[in-house]
Amino acid sequence: MGAAPWNPKLDAYIAAGARSIPTVSAEVREALDLIGKRMKPAEDGQALQLLALRRYLRLGPKRVQAQWSWSADQAAVLVRQGAAKVLVDEAAKVQSTFARANPGYVLALSPLRSLERQVRLWNGNSSVQRAATDLRARFLEDVNDPDDYPNPPTGESIAVFNYTLRVSIVKPEPTSAAPGTSDHGQMRAVDFVVMRSSGALVAGTKSSSIASVWKQGGWEAKLMAATAGTQLVGPLQHPYEPWHWRLTRA
Amino acid sequence: MTRLELALLVAAVAAANIFSGCARHADASSAAPRPGAVSRDAGTDQGPTAPAPPDLASAVHTAVSWLSALRQHDRTTLLKQSSAPFVIRDESGKGPCSNVELTDLAKPDSLGCLADDEILRGVLKENPDPDVGPLSAKHLPNWTRKWKADVRPGLRPLGVVLLGHAASFDLVILVGGDGVHGVFKHAAADRN
C-alpha cells in the first residue's frame, strides 16, 4: 500500500460525512483523526479513514454509540462489573479447563482494547489496507464529478456520498473492526491465544495461522472443548476467527 | 435516514433549489416537473422525453413502505407499490431471485421469490425502521454498476443497509413516480 496524495475534496466529504452522523460525530471524528495521526509513511491515511467512515455509517449511530470503546477512566470501573466481569470469569474457567486437558500449554487472554490500540491494528492490517486503497480509488473517480459532488459539499451531496459509501462493497472484507467498534473495546469478547507454559506463542491471532496452526494443530477443537459448559459462544464466523469468543447473547 | 434527517435534507435541498432558482430564474428548463410526469423538450419539440424521477422525500416514503410490505409478507401491498417493468438483481448471481426481469406484474405471485425470501424478511424484521437514503444515478455503488441500464430515466436509486445477526443485506431500490421498479441486492458478510 503506497501513500497516495491526500485529496482535499475527498477530505472535505469525509469530514462532512463524519460531522453528519448524529450523536456520535465527536467519537467518529476523534477516531478518524487518530487514524490520520498514527499512520506510517507507507500507509494511505485517507483511504483508511474512508473505509472506517463506511463502517460507522453502516452500523448507524445507535450501534456505534453502544459499541464505542471505553475510555481509560470508564474501563477502570466497568471492567470489574456487569457483563465484563462475567466474561473474565468465564474465560478463567476456559483457561483452567484447557490447562488441565493440555499439559504444557496454557491459554492467554487479550486485554481490553483501547481506541488507540484499535487504530494501530486497523492501520496495520493488510486486509484493511487493500480494501481501503481500492475503495478510495473508486470514490476519487466519483467525487471528481462536480455535478454530483460539488465543492464545498452540500446537504444533498453529503447524503449521496454517505449512502453510496454505506452500500459499497469492499474487497477483501476487512478482518479488523473499525476503530472504536471492536468487541474488545468494552470487554464484550475475548481472544484466546495458545502458549507453551514456557511462554512461547503456539497459536496466535493472525488469519494466516487459522488453517496451518489452529485447524491442523487441533487447537481449534481443543479450545472449543474447553469452552463447553461456559457462557461463552463462538468462535466469530465473519470473518472466521477461532480465537474470538463472546458472552452468550442476553 | 431518520424522519428528522429526511426533513432537514428536504429543507436543505429546497433551500438550495430556491437559491439556484434565483440565479437562473430565466431558464425555463429549471422548472421541476411533477414526480413521474412526462416532460417535453421545449427546444426541439421532438415528443415526450424521460419522465422526471420522484422527489427524494416521496421516493424514500415509497421505498420504506415497500420494504414494510416485504417485511410483513404482504404480497398485495407489495404488488400495489411495485410497477412494471420490474427487475431483481442479486450480486451473487445465484438462486431463483438473482436475475429477474418482469414486463408485467399481473400475476399475484409475480414477486414471489422476493416475498418468500425468509432470510431477507428476517433481516427486515431486525430493521423495523430502515435508514433509506439517496444515491446518484450517475455514480452508482460499485457492485451495481453492471446494472446501470436498469436505472432508467425517471427512476431514483435509493440505498439501504440491513444489518442482521444471521445475515446482512445491501439494497439499492429503484423508485419511480408510480412505485418501485426494481431492487439490487447483495448479501453482506459484515464483521461482528
Side-chain angles (χ1 to χ4, degrees):
Chain A
M1 181 183 203
W6 208 271
N7 183 288
K9 189 174 178 186
L10 182 58
D11 208 36
Y13 273 91
I14 292 172
R19 278 197 303 273
S20 72
I21 302 178
T23 318
V24 289
S25 170
E27 287 86 346
V28 166
R29 283 183 290 163
E30 180 191 5
L32 296 184
D33 190 43
L34 270 177
I35 289 171
K37 284 180 179 168
R38 297 292 178 267
M39 69 170 187
K40 293 175 181 171
E43 293 165 358
D44 185 342
Q46 192 172 45
L48 295 166
Q49 289 176 333
L50 182 68
L51 186 64
L53 178 61
R54 170 186 174 271
R55 185 65 186 149
Y56 302 136
L57 290 167
R58 285 178 76 81
L59 285 171
K62 284 182 186 169
R63 289 193 200 206
V64 171
Q65 187 170 40
Q67 289 177 220
W68 200 255
S69 301
W70 289 334
S71 66
D73 289 345
Q74 287 175 311
V77 176
L78 296 172
V79 78
R80 294 188 179 83
Q81 62 189 47
K85 183 179 184 309
V86 176
L87 178 84
V88 171
D89 290 347
E90 293 298 295
K93 291 179 192 170
V94 175
Q95 286 178 297
S96 176
T97 304
F98 185 92
R100 280 198 307 274
N102 302 282
Y105 296 91
V106 294
L107 287 175
L109 302 180
S110 58
L112 186 72
R113 198 170 291 169
S114 67
L115 176 63
E116 182 86 28
R117 171 79 179 137
Q118 291 179 46
V119 166
R120 283 201 298 273
L121 289 171
W122 178 258
N123 285 7
N125 184 298
S126 62
S127 69
V128 169
Q129 290 171 0
R130 290 200 304 277
T133 301
D134 179 58
L135 182 69
R136 179 179 182 272
R138 283 189 274 109
F139 263 79
L140 274 180
E141 290 175 17
D142 289 359
V143 299
N144 274 335
D145 181 344
D147 295 331
D148 276 356
Y149 294 101
N151 199 8
T154 63
E156 187 177 15
S157 68
I158 294 165
V160 168
F161 175 80
N162 283 356
Y163 282 94
T164 305
L165 183 58
R166 186 186 297 205
V167 298
S168 289
I169 295 177
V170 293
K171 289 181 180 172
E173 182 66 29
T175 57
S176 183
T181 65
S182 167
D183 275 351
H184 302 286
Q186 292 185 5
M187 214 63 186
R188 290 168 182 245
V190 64
D191 285 347
F192 293 101
V193 294
V194 182
M195 307 189 80
R196 289 191 185 279
S197 303
S198 61
L201 180 68
V202 177
T205 58
K206 288 198 170 177
S207 302
S208 57
S209 71
I210 293 173
S212 60
V213 180
W214 280 93
K215 287 184 182 291
Q216 285 186 21
W219 298 113
E220 177 192 47
K222 289 170 183 172
L223 174 56
M224 210 167 280
T227 60
T230 69
Q231 294 182 53
L232 298 186
V233 291
L236 181 68
Q237 296 298 314
H238 299 294
Y240 187 68
E241 293 181 355
W243 51 82
H244 184 111
W245 290 70
R246 58 183 299 159
L247 274 182
T248 314
R249 197 177 300 281
Chain B
M1 181 171 277
T2 63
R3 287 192 180 88
L4 177 61
E5 289 172 310
L6 181 61
L8 290 172
L9 177 61
V10 170
V13 172
N17 286 341
I18 288 167
F19 290 125
S20 61
C22 288
R24 51 187 173 86
H25 62 278
D27 180 1
S29 66
S30 65
R34 285 179 295 108
V38 176
S39 62
R40 186 174 285 271
D41 186 334
T44 57
D45 200 18
Q46 295 290 306
T49 57
D55 66 71
L56 177 58
S58 59
V60 168
H61 182 267
T62 300
V64 169
S65 180
W66 187 82
L67 287 172
S68 175
L70 200 55
R71 181 187 302 110
Q72 293 165 22
H73 203 222
D74 181 351
R75 286 180 179 227
T76 306
T77 305
L78 191 68
L79 279 173
K80 272 185 190 168
Q81 295 180 342
S82 305
S83 285
F86 193 100
V87 295
I88 306 169
R89 311 287 189 198
D90 190 308
E91 208 272 338
S92 73
K94 296 173 186 167
C97 216
S98 67
N99 196 22
V100 177
E101 296 176 9
L102 298 166
T103 52
D104 74 71
L105 300 173
K107 292 179 184 173
D109 64 345
S110 295
L111 298 178
C113 76
L114 259 187
D116 295 340
D117 185 338
E118 291 184 8
I119 297 174
L120 177 58
R121 191 158 71 247
V123 176
L124 278 166
K125 285 179 180 173
E126 291 182 76
N127 293 266
D129 191 14
D131 186 359
V132 180
L135 300 172
S136 160
K138 194 160 48 163
H139 302 291
L140 290 166
N142 53 340
W143 57 280
T144 68
R145 291 186 182 182
K146 57 194 166 196
W147 304 311
K148 190 168 184 175
D150 291 329
V151 188
R152 291 175 291 103
L155 299 184
R156 181 185 281 276
L158 300 174
V160 59
V161 175
L162 305 169
L163 296 185
H165 293 310
S168 298
F169 286 93
D170 299 311
L171 301 181
V172 171
I173 303 168
L174 308 178
V175 184
D178 55 352
V180 173
H181 279 263
V183 61
F184 305 151
K185 59 192 173 84
H186 166 247
D190 276 63
R191 186 192 161 84
N192 301 339

